Amino acid sequence: MADKKIIAVLGATGAQGGGMARAILADPAGGFAVRALTRDINSSKARELAKMGAEVVAADVDNVESLKKAFDGAYGAYCVTFFWQHFSPEKEMAEVQAMAAAAKSAGLQHVVWSTLEDTRKWVPLSDNRMPTLQGKYKVPHFDGKGESNHFFTDAGVPTTFLLTSMYWDNFLNPGMAPKKGPDGKLSITLPTGDKKLAGIAVEDIGKCAYGIFKRGQEFVGKTVGISGEHLTGAQMAATLTEVLGQEIRFNSVPPDVYRAFGFPGADDLGNMFQFYRDFDEYFCGVRDPAFARSLNPALQDFRAWLMQHKSAIPLGQTAAGA
Ligand SMILES: NC(=O)c1ccc[n+]([C@@H]2O[C@H](COP(=O)([O-])OP(=O)(O)OC[C@H]3O[C@@H](n4cnc5c(N)ncnc54)[C@H](OP(=O)(O)O)[C@@H]3O)[C@@H](O)[C@H]2O)c1
């Protein structure tokens, strides 16, 4: 352990950080060790990581001193924020500021920051194609991350800015899983028309981030995008149909309809999917699966991900209004 480079992993008990931690733990000869950060070192997920060989350390992103302690002595950190726990870009920005300050204080040599675009650079607030949300954002859970990038740069922290993609694992949640319509047929619903979406198996985000750490300083100061495959809604529906063995249709709706679905964050996600749709060439262009595969040779495409998770996709739900 002593001669290994320690990576402090935020969100290690969650999806992205969990993938990061497991990627390092699966490669004991790789020269890296995991320090899993959690608010509760006694949770079952934290204990499981400890059993797998991670050092488990208490930290809370809302407490900069706890972050400084947790980063101390580490070589690098995987930084991720938790927008959907609070829906506040301001809170997210304050948390990134704390991460950058702690990384600087600990003298980290490499941070991989899981960020997204500040969509207002493409869709200024004056652009009425989508509503402005929370007073000053177009896609709040993207914009706060993009706006936060400068905290790392300003602090002089050697950082790789990692642009992630939509997790296919969202299909495991009843909200995005195929649902029955009024005709009793199953469909997935997205406001993306015939445009391709960059998607990824969440486990691969951590594996790609590990690939970035393994490449030393090559990507420090750079923005890199990753995805597992680019697919239209119709193509995803066709693969779902084939792998699940029952017809799944693609139900394309206008973004306004999606935003009005009424679940918490529907407006934010409606704007996000519209951004995916309206800037598809840019969005997919910076998230090249071939590049992601160069970081992570085991990168899954949608079919491979689906084969592994098909039994966990909930199919019984009825769409609202059906
Ligand atoms: N869903 C998608 O398709 C998608 C795609 C791209 C990016 N994203 C972004 O991914 C981010 C979420 O990452 P995720 O999916 O990995 O999250 P997640 O699976 O919900 O994991 C959340 C983890 O964060 C930890 N956590 C929560 N609050 C914390 C705090 N105050 N201090 C320290 N740790 C805290 C929790 O650990 P403990 O309880 O153990 O402390 C938990 O395990 C969001 O910002 C979202 O915008 C999502």
Side-chain angles (χ1 to χ4, degrees):
M1 176 91 175
D3 55 341
K4 289 190 172 183
K5 291 176 173 164
I6 297 170
I7 305 294
V9 180
L10 275 160
T13 58
Q16 289 193 35
M20 173 84 248
R22 285 184 289 276
I24 299 173
L25 292 167
D27 185 15
F32 290 89
V34 177
R35 182 178 292 166
L37 275 43
T38 171
R39 292 164 302 173
D40 179 6
I41 59 170
N42 292 313
S43 73
S44 57
K45 286 186 174 174
R47 284 170 189 268
E48 201 180 309
L49 285 165
K51 226 190 269 175
M52 290 165 71
E55 175 193 6
V56 177
V57 167
D60 190 321
V61 290
D62 297 324
N63 176 343
V64 69
E65 292 309 316
S66 77
L67 277 183
K68 284 182 185 169
K69 271 193 214 145
F71 285 176
D72 190 40
Y75 161 83
Y78 185 72
C79 288
V80 56
T81 46
F82 316 108
F83 180 87
W84 300 109
Q85 302 216 340
H86 47 69
F87 294 72
S88 164
E90 280 80 16
K91 189 163 163 54
E92 197 169 29
M93 287 188 265
E95 291 173 348
V96 183
Q97 191 169 13
M99 290 174 200
K104 179 67 183 171
S105 146
L108 296 189
Q109 293 178 54
H110 194 174
V111 163
V112 174
W113 153 230
S114 176
T115 188
L116 289 166
E117 285 86 352
D118 182 341
T119 63
R120 295 165 296 183
K121 292 183 183 158
W122 287 261
V123 190
L125 297 186
S126 57
D127 186 332
N128 291 327
R129 78 177 74 195
M130 58 179 76
T132 293
L133 303 176
Q134 299 190 35
K136 49 182 174 177
Y137 305 100
K138 286 299 186 183
V139 184
H141 79 283
F142 270 52
D143 298 348
K145 292 180 179 67
E147 192 177 326
S148 297
N149 291 344
H150 75 91
F151 290 125
F152 291 105
T153 325
D154 294 351
V157 174
T159 304
T160 302
F161 302 88
L162 180 65
L163 295 171
T164 60
S165 296
M166 181 191 81
Y167 313 164
W168 292 319
D169 305 70
N170 293 330
F171 285 121
L172 304 177
N173 299 329
M176 237 184 99
K179 289 191 200 46
K180 277 195 186 124
D183 57 0
K185 304 273 187 194
L186 286 163
S187 61
I188 53 169
T189 298
L190 294 168
T192 47
D194 61 357
K195 297 300 173 67
K196 288 190 171 178
L197 278 89
I200 195 163
V202 71
E203 195 71 9
D204 279 328
I205 296 178
K207 289 182 182 174
C208 290
Y210 181 45
I212 290 170
F213 282 120
K214 282 200 294 186
R215 300 262 283 262
Q217 300 289 296
E218 187 178 344
F219 298 110
V220 165
K222 304 226 161 74
T223 297
V224 300
I226 53 168
S227 70
E229 197 175 5
H230 305 154
L231 293 170
T232 63
Q235 287 171 323
M236 285 192 274
T239 305
L240 283 159
T241 297
E242 201 182 312
V243 173
L244 298 181
Q246 51 185 310
E247 188 186 8
I248 313 278
R249 295 175 174 183
F250 174 48
N251 178 29
S252 182
V253 294
D256 273 341
V257 169
Y258 197 95
R259 282 188 277 269
F261 278 158
F263 61 83
D267 50 0
D268 188 334
L269 291 179
N271 284 8
M272 176 195 80
F273 282 123
Q274 188 173 351
F275 181 66
Y276 264 79
R277 184 194 75 178
D278 291 358
F279 299 92
D280 60 315
E281 283 185 19
Y282 156 76
F283 200 90
C284 289
V286 297
R287 291 167 167 82
D288 179 7
F291 170 70
R293 193 160 281 112
S294 75
L295 297 171
N296 162 27
L299 186 81
Q300 296 174 75
D301 60 14
F302 184 57
R303 178 182 301 273
W305 173 85
L306 191 53
M307 291 298 288
Q308 210 186 327
H309 293 92
K310 60 184 178 183
S311 59
I313 293 191
L315 290 176
Q317 301 271 329
T318 301

